[in-house]
Amino acid sequence: MDFKVFRLAAAAAATAGLFGLAAPASAQSNVDVSVSGNFGTVTDYVFRGVSQTNEDAAIQGGLDLTAGGFYAGVWASTVDFGDTTDAEVDMYGGYRWEAAGFAWDAGLVGYTYAKEPTFADYTYAEAKLGVSRAFGRATVGAVAYYSPDFFGVDDEATYAEVNATFSPIDKWTVSGAVGKQWLDVSDDYLTWNVGVAYALTDDLAVDVRYYDTDVDNAANYEDRVVAGIKVAF
């Protein structure tokens, strides 16, 4: 495990113990464990408003394990940064719970990159805290991420986002988000997206989404429409 990922993992573990998030031993033996996966493709892999594939298509997939409120998983995508890097592999874990009518999610995400150049310093980790609440067919939420040693030249970084989803009729979901990325070396920027998803079957869905940022004169930050299809299993 990369040291940056390990450092945040230790902090997350300590925090979980402090707030009593760990399940008691007597309950752990009765927790149902489930495994799920997903696989799909998108016309452009956009992360926080920025193309990760030089505006080309990407193949993506992941596996998730849940045990009660605890979860862990791995997710991967092809990428193109204009160098030898050709894939991103994310590992994550955390705990979800409900309190006062809100759904909470605290976790850790580690981002690693296959064939990363030695000079690049791409690999990093983030701590995450999210909250959401359902109102009938709509759900609104907010999430924040923090990294002490971010991607590339940036060290301390914070990302915060508000988001919403709405299912007007069966099989259709409209969703959107507005977020801001704060960086200690590169310029801060705003990003937003809005899109619609349609469930072709219980396990197969398509999504068409518009992305944009407030960054000018940078191709990978420009507005774009992305289409994707994903199967869950």
Side-chain angles (χ1 to χ4, degrees):
M1 177 182 287
D2 183 89
F3 176 71
K4 290 179 286 187
V5 177
F6 175 80
R7 184 170 59 185
L8 272 177
T15 301
L18 178 64
F19 287 96
L21 298 183
S26 60
Q28 291 176 357
S29 60
N30 298 322
V31 172
D32 290 332
V33 177
S34 63
V35 178
S36 60
N38 61 84
F39 180 80
T41 183
V42 289
T43 56
D44 189 354
Y45 169 25
V46 179
F47 178 71
R48 296 179 186 168
V50 185
S51 174
Q52 307 296 294
T53 48
N54 200 23
E55 303 182 289
D56 288 330
I59 299 172
Q60 305 174 332
L63 288 172
D64 293 277
L65 182 148
T66 60
F70 293 95
Y71 66 90
V74 60
W75 181 88
S77 175
T78 54
V79 298
D80 181 2
F81 298 151
D83 53 29
T84 57
T85 311
D86 60 9
E88 172 187 334
V89 181
D90 303 341
M91 294 166 286
Y92 49 88
Y95 185 78
R96 299 186 183 104
W97 74 100
E98 293 187 4
F102 291 87
W104 297 85
D105 181 351
L108 178 74
V109 186
Y111 305 81
T112 62
Y113 296 87
K115 299 183 181 179
E116 173 187 345
T118 56
F119 62 83
D121 194 24
Y122 291 154
T123 297
Y124 69 104
E126 292 182 314
K128 168 191 175 182
L129 179 62
V131 60
S132 63
R133 184 162 188 167
F135 299 92
R137 288 181 171 266
T139 299
V140 295
V143 61
Y145 295 83
Y146 170 77
S147 175
D149 193 353
F150 196 59
F151 182 93
V153 300
D154 291 288
D155 288 325
E156 189 172 7
T158 302
Y159 177 78
E161 175 186 287
V162 292
N163 51 65
T165 64
F166 176 60
S167 298
I169 57 175
D170 291 344
K171 299 186 177 182
W172 290 92
T173 302
V174 180
S175 61
V178 177
K180 184 169 184 177
Q181 180 75 71
W182 288 272
L183 302 165
D184 65 345
V185 176
S186 305
D187 292 337
D188 303 340
Y189 69 93
L190 287 169
T191 179
W192 53 92
N193 71 81
V194 62
V196 60
Y198 178 72
L200 297 169
T201 70
D202 289 342
D203 303 316
L204 182 66
V206 294
D207 183 278
V208 179
R209 189 161 302 274
Y210 172 80
Y211 293 91
D212 199 5
T213 74
D214 66 347
V215 179
D216 297 322
N217 303 317
N220 285 345
Y221 289 77
E222 291 179 353
D223 63 323
R224 70 200 66 233
V225 175
V226 176
I229 185 167
K230 182 170 69 176
V231 59
F233 54 89

